[in-house]
Each structure stands twice: as C-alpha cells, then as structure tokens.
Amino acid sequence: MSPDGPITVVVDPGEPPYDAPPFLELRGPLDTRRLESALDRIAAGRPDGPAWQHRLRPHGPGLHTLALTMSAPGEFPAGLLADLLTDPPPAGRSVCAVPPSPLQHELLADADAHPGTGRHVEQLGWLWHGPLDPERFTAAWQSLFDRESVLRSAFADGPEPRIVVHDRVKAEVVRLPHSAADWAALVEYDRCRGLDPRRPGPLRVTVLGGDPVVSATAQPTRVLLTYHHALLDGWSARLLLREFYRAYLAGGCLPGGERRPDMADYARWLADQDTGPARTFWTDATPPPGVTHSPLPVATASDPVPAGTRTGTGRTRLRLTAVQTARLGAWAAGWGSTESGALQAVWALLLYRAAGTADAEPVRFSVTVSGRGILFDGVERLPGALRNPLPMSVVVDPRGSVPELLGLLRDRALDMAAYEWVSAGQIRTWTEDRAEPSGAVGSLVAFEGGPGGPDDLVRELAAQGVRVDPPETLGAPTAFPLTLVAHHDGDGGLVVTVSHDHTRPAGIGGVLAHVAFLLDELPRVAGESTTISEVLARLVDADAETNADTSTGTGTEAGTPPTTSADQPADADAPALITLRPARNPGAGTVCLVPSHGTPRFCYELLARSYQGPEALVLLGAALDDGAGYEALRPLIEAGGHLVLGGFSGCGVAAYRITRLIAASGGRPPLIVLTGAATSAGDLARLLESAAERAG
C-alpha cells in the first residue's frame, strides 16, 4: 500500500437520536500527522466551540475507526474533517521562495476575482499514434516535475504573495478510456475543473485512450495538457512537451539536473531593471484614448442586451487553408511584416470601421508578446509566466495605404520589444491620465508561438512506432471581453479563434467572417498604393454575400466551416436530481452522488457504469446548496428504501449537512462515503456497493 495513496472516509451517523458525533471509518494509508493537522485546523476555526477528544482504533492494514467525544452539546464538522483527510497530501517541504513578477500579481488577482470560470487556464492537445507505455509515460512526466522547479511551484498566501518552490511534487497524470467521454467534452470539463495556482503543480496531464499494444483499428490516443497562466504560458507548455519527449525516449528518466536559468534567476534579473526608460517610452507612446469600439453590435440605453445575446463565454473558429496561409505569409513578408502583423492590421481595420468615422483615428487594442525578446541569457529556454498582453496604438488613416499600416504596426512592435517585461498594470499606472476610463483595452490579439519543433525527437519516436501530431493550443478565458488567438495547425493552415464574454452577441460569426475575408483578400488585392478606404469598400461589397452566422471566408478557398463551442451558463431549468442509472428492482434504495468543485460530470458517469449494486445512482445538481439538496432527496427519503451519499473530496461539508437535515426531520441519516480525486471510479463504486449493503 502506497503511503501517499488515496484514503476513503465513511461517515456513520450512529444510532438515534443522532445527537452524538458520528464515527468515521478511515480506509487506506493513514498518516496520523495529517489527522492531527486536520483536527488542529478545525479547532482553530472554532475557537468558541466545544472541545472534543478523539480515539483512533486500528482494525488491520489500511482500516481505522475514529471516535469523537464532545465536552458539551454541539455539532462536530465531520464533513469538513472528511474533506481535509481525503484532500491530496501536501507537497514536500518548500526549498525556496521567489517573488512573483508584476504580471503574475495581475494574473493571480484576476483569477481570484473570477473563481470557477476557468480564467487563465489554458490547454494544449495533440494526438499520439501508436503504442503508449503507461508506466514510462507517467515516469517521464514525474521526471520532468523533478527537474523543473516551475512545476513544483505555487503561490503562498500572505501580506505580499510569493511563489514557493517545493522539493517534491507528484505529477498529476489522469488516464481515461476512450469510452469515458468524447474529446470536446473532456477538454471542456477539464478546463472548468480549473487549476489552483496556490497548490503545487500548475500543469495537469490527461490521457484519453492509450495502450502498450495497438491494433490496426485502434483509435489514436489523445493527450491534453492543462496549465495556469500565472505560472506557465503557451511557450512553456511546448518547451516542456519537448522535454517530456526526451524523457520518454530515455525510458522515463530525463537526464541532467535542475534547469537553469529558472524563474528565480528571472526574478533577480527583473529586480535589477530600471523602470525609468520603460516609463518614458510608454508615456510618450500612449496617445489619448482612441477607438476601442467593438466591431460587433452594441447595446443602446433603451436596449441594454441586444437581441441574440446570451450569457456565458463563447468561442468561434475559422481556418484558412494551407494555400491561403502560405499566400498571406508571403504577402506580409513582402512588406517587411509577418502573419501576426497582418492579423493585427485586419483587427485595426475592423475597429476603425466600427467607429463609423471618415477621418484618421487612433485605434487601440492589446497584443501578446512572448516575453522572450529581452536581454536575458537563456530566456528562450525558460518555462514560466512570461507571455504578456501589452497595449497597441496605431493611427488608421483611410487615405493611407495598407503597406503603410503594416509598417506602422511592425515599427510599434519593434519599439515595444525592449520592454516586454513590463506589465499592463504598470503601464496603466504610468499613463493613467491617458488610459481608457475602464483602465483596460477591450480586445486582445494573440499569435501563438513557441520554441522550434522537435524534429529530431519526432523522428526518434517514429523509430519506436510512435507518431505524434503537432500540439494545438485550445485557448483560455482572459481578462479581455474579446480575444483573437491564431495558431498554425498540423497541415499548415492558420486557425483563428475568437473568444467573447457574455456581453457579446451570438452573431460573432459575422465578425469572424470579416476577419477571414480580409486575411484572404488582402494578399490578392493590396498593393503598394491600395488605400485603406478601398479595402473597406470591398468589405462593404462582400457583406451582402456573407452569412453573418456561418461564413468562414469567400471564394472556393474559404477553408473548412468554423467549429464553434460555447461555455453555456448553468441552465436554470436543469433538474435538481439527475438519474445516472435507475434501480434494478423496486425498493432497492438509492446512492446519491454529491458533486464537488473541479470533478467533471463524466467521472460520475464512469462511476455509474462501474457500479454493480441494485440501487439507483443519482447526482445532485451542481448549483444546489445543502438545503436544496435535501429538498431534492426528500421524495426518495419519504418513499422509503435506504440511502447512501458519496463523492469525491470537497463535497463532505455539503453531504454532512444534508444528513443533519435528514436527521432533524426524523429520517434515518445515510452513510457518507468520501474519497480523494485520485481514486478510480471503479474503486469508489465498490466502496459505495459495500456501504449500500451495510445500509440495507
């Protein structure tokens, strides 16, 4: 039995009148120091509550009972104790502390201000064709965690946040069978599960499928990396993926020691920088507030929410073909620019068009910079949070030419390159008199890049029968109401994803169609003397032929239709109780799963498939509080039949409160079975079967 394996807690309410503290059965490897620590934390949170004594009795390997005796009448928070015991054990001791950068301060503050939204949680996915050795795969990631200090880092709370590096952190590698969920659902659930930057390990690995021996008809394995922007960026994810390949090829053990430079070296470099020149640059370079209009319809005073709007966060995607992409890159290079510069020019044109003016106007938006153009030796090999959104301002003159606009954006980007280490918050502080009233620029344009492709590693993997596709960035909700993110796919096409918040209308596809039209049209028609007004006139002509909801471009080379997805808000009409599996015979009883934050729906569906008992399996609605949960269960309780509550760590408090409400109403409170998130669905199913037999 592994000493750091999962532990399961069964809460037994005892006998009527249920006014004594419950017994707790502890199944699995128990660290008594963790038990004492959990009890101390509860005592510290209840300074005025009654004292208690506890008695721990062993009943064999991996089985203990915990009895509690209260000094005075009162309710003991058994659910909280169960949550604390089933939570993953803390990482190893901290070995050093690193001051976070201003950018990290801002990312953490924004994530804290929007809990449960997946804010700044990004993903990288790819296909793995051929055999996959699970043990070597996991060992390779663990080797990477052991070598990379950033993967053992977390924010520590305090008056001034700091980043603490631990000496040992277990890599989180989750394996699921292909039948567990489709890829889109897995990506969405895993992003919504989120990552806590205050817990070590800012990266999680999820594998869908994967076997050591693969048949000719087997599906490829899908691999998903999920990481938090406050500690890692997209460049870092690709850099770490390359190192993972090295470790996998080396049998699961990455040669060499700790990476240098690391984020501690970067923090020292950052502390030595003189902010005076940066402040002067941004003060001089920031014009008065310019056009930040959205190219989307906006609400009026009488109609605050335009028709077609919906809550939540949505994404819409377009793809240019490889031919279109190559033509765009060659055209931009001919004017001394890049595909990224062309995308920025297109967005500047759409912002200018939305202003409805015929005069020259400054437009403002933000662009991401890699943070690796700085004069810091080895920065291109440094995984960390360096990617930075910085404000971009450019004057759009309808009488000016398109190449002139490209040149203005290029020169602006070159001037900014020396100050990629400055955060947007610092710039707002320096230029507050000229900043937008909201303090933020409303849209962000990002072009995903990273270290050069690992061609030698890909060839070595191919020699072992493994083919890996280029990884694809799947995007992250940011602080911006609207974000355009571009990247190249494995076939050489350019993929542009528009993400928008709940203030944006569902007709976002029309804006994406304009982006696609201009990216395809500019290389065809924009020459040295082509003016911006001429290009905008062509866009007006094209509008009549563009379907604002579904079009991805024009002509026969418009590429594939856009794939769209949306983070739908919680449905107000969603059932309070979801039946995952009906009872196999009348009166068989019910096992109710209580949801916990961060546990995706398909984990409960897997559990229902694994459950062999006759009871019905139901799931409480995620948005319910304990009172509403009790009301949802009351018809089942009144109908008779035994009831068991269960779930993963984090639901203990709600589950225990429901049992207390059941006892207070004169019912028989159920057993509670709580286990850690690392426990497999099959193992939890067997534990619930045992509890249901006992309750029946």
Side-chain angles (χ1 to χ4, degrees):
M1 185 178 296
S2 171
D4 60 352
I7 188 171
T8 298
V9 178
V10 179
V11 182
D12 187 340
E15 300 297 329
Y18 310 115
D19 55 359
F23 289 90
L24 277 74
E25 293 182 8
L26 312 179
R27 300 174 180 266
L30 176 64
D31 184 344
T32 56
R33 293 172 299 179
R34 288 194 68 204
L35 173 60
E36 296 290 345
S37 175
L39 291 169
D40 288 345
R41 287 180 62 181
I42 291 174
R46 295 161 52 95
D48 300 326
W52 67 82
Q53 291 181 334
H54 70 277
R55 184 170 55 186
L56 186 66
R57 290 182 175 177
H59 299 279
L63 179 61
H64 298 76
T65 56
L66 180 69
L68 297 151
T69 305
M70 304 285 284
S71 63
E75 181 182 337
F76 182 84
L80 175 59
L81 178 58
D83 279 336
L84 293 174
L85 291 176
T86 56
D87 204 36
R93 61 185 179 87
S94 61
V95 293
C96 69
V98 178
S101 68
L103 170 64
Q104 290 177 297
H105 271 287
E106 293 160 23
L107 290 170
L108 182 65
D110 188 65
D112 285 346
H114 301 85
T117 61
R119 196 95 154 206
H120 303 297
V121 175
E122 192 165 51
Q123 296 166 298
L124 195 72
W126 74 96
L127 289 176
W128 177 294
H129 305 266
L132 185 149
D133 184 333
E135 292 185 3
R136 180 158 53 133
F137 187 92
T138 301
W141 280 111
Q142 185 61 59
S143 178
L144 205 61
F145 271 63
D146 294 340
R147 184 173 183 255
E148 302 285 357
S149 61
V150 69
L151 296 179
R152 306 192 307 276
S153 298
F155 284 86
D157 288 321
E160 288 294 329
R162 57 196 178 98
I163 298 172
V164 177
V165 181
H166 297 259
D167 65 344
R168 173 74 175 175
V169 171
K170 185 177 180 181
E172 185 176 0
V173 180
V174 180
R175 292 194 66 221
L176 299 169
H178 271 298
S179 60
D182 64 74
W183 178 244
L186 172 62
V187 169
E188 187 58 27
Y189 277 127
D190 197 66
R191 187 185 65 78
C192 292
R193 179 183 172 191
L195 279 166
D196 185 355
R198 290 181 173 83
R199 300 191 63 168
L203 180 143
R204 179 171 58 243
V205 186
T206 305
V207 182
L208 187 62
D211 294 297
V213 180
V214 178
S215 65
T217 59
Q219 299 181 60
T221 303
R222 289 187 177 271
V223 188
L224 181 69
L225 299 188
T226 303
Y227 49 96
H228 201 286
H229 278 167
L231 288 165
L232 292 170
D233 56 21
W235 182 293
S236 304
R238 286 174 166 79
L239 188 67
L240 294 170
L241 176 59
R242 188 166 63 182
E243 294 304 294
F244 160 73
Y245 288 153
R246 294 189 194 280
Y248 189 85
L249 288 166
C253 182
L254 189 65
E258 288 273 347
R259 177 189 295 274
R260 299 298 298 272
D262 60 11
M263 285 301 289
D265 298 312
Y266 176 74
R268 285 189 288 271
W269 178 87
L270 199 59
D272 291 337
Q273 301 311 298
D274 180 5
T275 59
R279 179 170 187 160
T280 300
F281 169 78
W282 287 109
T283 302
D284 293 343
T286 304
V291 177
T292 56
H293 296 80
S294 168
L296 296 164
V298 296
T300 65
S302 60
D303 181 18
V305 181
T309 60
R310 53 182 168 81
T311 60
T313 300
R315 296 185 187 87
T316 311
R317 173 171 291 190
L318 72 86
R319 178 184 180 274
L320 298 183
T321 66
V323 172
Q324 289 174 298
T325 303
R327 184 167 58 228
L328 177 68
W331 172 79
W335 301 111
S337 186
T338 61
E339 291 168 303
S340 176
L343 181 61
Q344 293 174 21
V346 164
W347 193 241
L349 289 174
L350 292 177
L351 289 174
Y352 175 81
R353 181 175 185 256
T357 181
D359 300 322
E361 282 281 353
V363 299
R364 299 187 66 209
F365 53 99
S366 287
V367 298
T368 57
V369 294
S370 70
R372 290 168 173 85
I374 60 177
L375 296 176
F376 174 60
D377 190 30
V379 69
E380 73 282 355
R381 304 187 306 275
L382 174 62
L386 277 72
R387 188 176 66 177
N388 199 0
L390 296 177
M392 171 71 78
S393 302
V394 65
V395 175
V396 178
D397 186 344
R399 296 172 293 276
S401 70
V402 172
E404 287 173 347
L405 177 60
L406 285 172
L408 288 172
L409 289 164
R410 176 200 61 215
D411 294 344
R412 174 70 169 167
L414 290 174
D415 291 340
M416 290 165 49
Y419 305 108
E420 290 187 0
W421 49 273
V422 173
S423 74
Q426 289 175 296
I427 296 170
R428 284 196 298 271
T429 300
W430 298 334
T431 62
E432 59 181 343
D433 292 337
R434 300 183 181 186
E436 296 295 335
S438 64
V441 179
S443 58
L444 174 69
V445 178
F447 207 102
E448 291 292 340
D455 294 337
D456 55 333
L457 300 176
V458 171
R459 285 192 292 269
E460 290 183 52
L461 286 168
Q464 297 189 13
V466 175
R467 179 171 61 85
V468 290
D469 287 354
E472 178 183 0
T473 301
L474 303 178
T478 70
F480 293 85
L482 191 147
T483 303
L484 286 83
V485 181
H487 72 275
H488 292 101
D489 63 14
D491 297 324
L494 184 67
V495 179
V496 181
T497 302
V498 176
S499 301
H500 51 95
D501 71 5
H502 64 279
T503 65
R504 302 298 174 181
I508 185 91
V511 176
L512 203 58
H514 290 159
V515 172
F517 174 82
L518 291 174
L519 289 175
D520 182 58
E521 189 77 357
L522 288 178
R524 299 174 184 271
V525 303
E528 183 175 2
S529 59
T530 305
T531 65
I532 288 170
S533 60
E534 291 172 339
V535 170
L536 294 177
R538 295 182 71 89
L539 187 59
V540 171
D541 293 339
D543 276 345
E545 303 173 5
T546 300
N547 183 322
D549 290 321
T550 59
S551 176
T552 64
T554 60
T556 58
E557 291 185 321
T560 58
T563 57
T564 62
S565 64
D567 306 332
Q568 297 293 346
D571 187 351
D573 298 324
L577 209 60
I578 302 163
T579 300
L580 300 176
R581 201 203 73 176
R584 290 182 175 164
N585 50 66
T590 303
V591 173
C592 177
L593 303 174
V594 182
S596 55
H597 176 68
T599 303
R601 167 75 177 270
F602 67 77
C603 288
Y604 302 108
E605 293 170 347
L606 274 177
L607 194 154
R609 296 177 199 172
S610 303
Y611 191 81
Q612 299 299 312
E615 293 80 13
L617 259 76
V618 299
L619 174 67
L620 283 177
L624 300 181
D625 58 21
D626 40 279
Y630 164 71
E631 291 296 330
L633 288 172
R634 191 162 64 171
L636 296 176
I637 298 167
E638 293 173 348
H642 57 272
L643 174 67
V644 173
L645 300 182
F648 296 97
S649 183
C651 72
V653 171
Y656 188 61
R657 286 176 178 167
I658 291 173
T659 68
R660 301 301 297 175
L661 290 171
I662 293 173
S665 66
R668 177 187 176 188
L671 294 173
I672 300 173
V673 180
L674 195 70
T675 191
T679 302
S680 70
D683 287 344
L684 179 54
R686 286 186 287 273
L687 290 164
L688 289 168
E689 290 167 20
S690 175
E693 289 177 5
R694 185 166 135 194

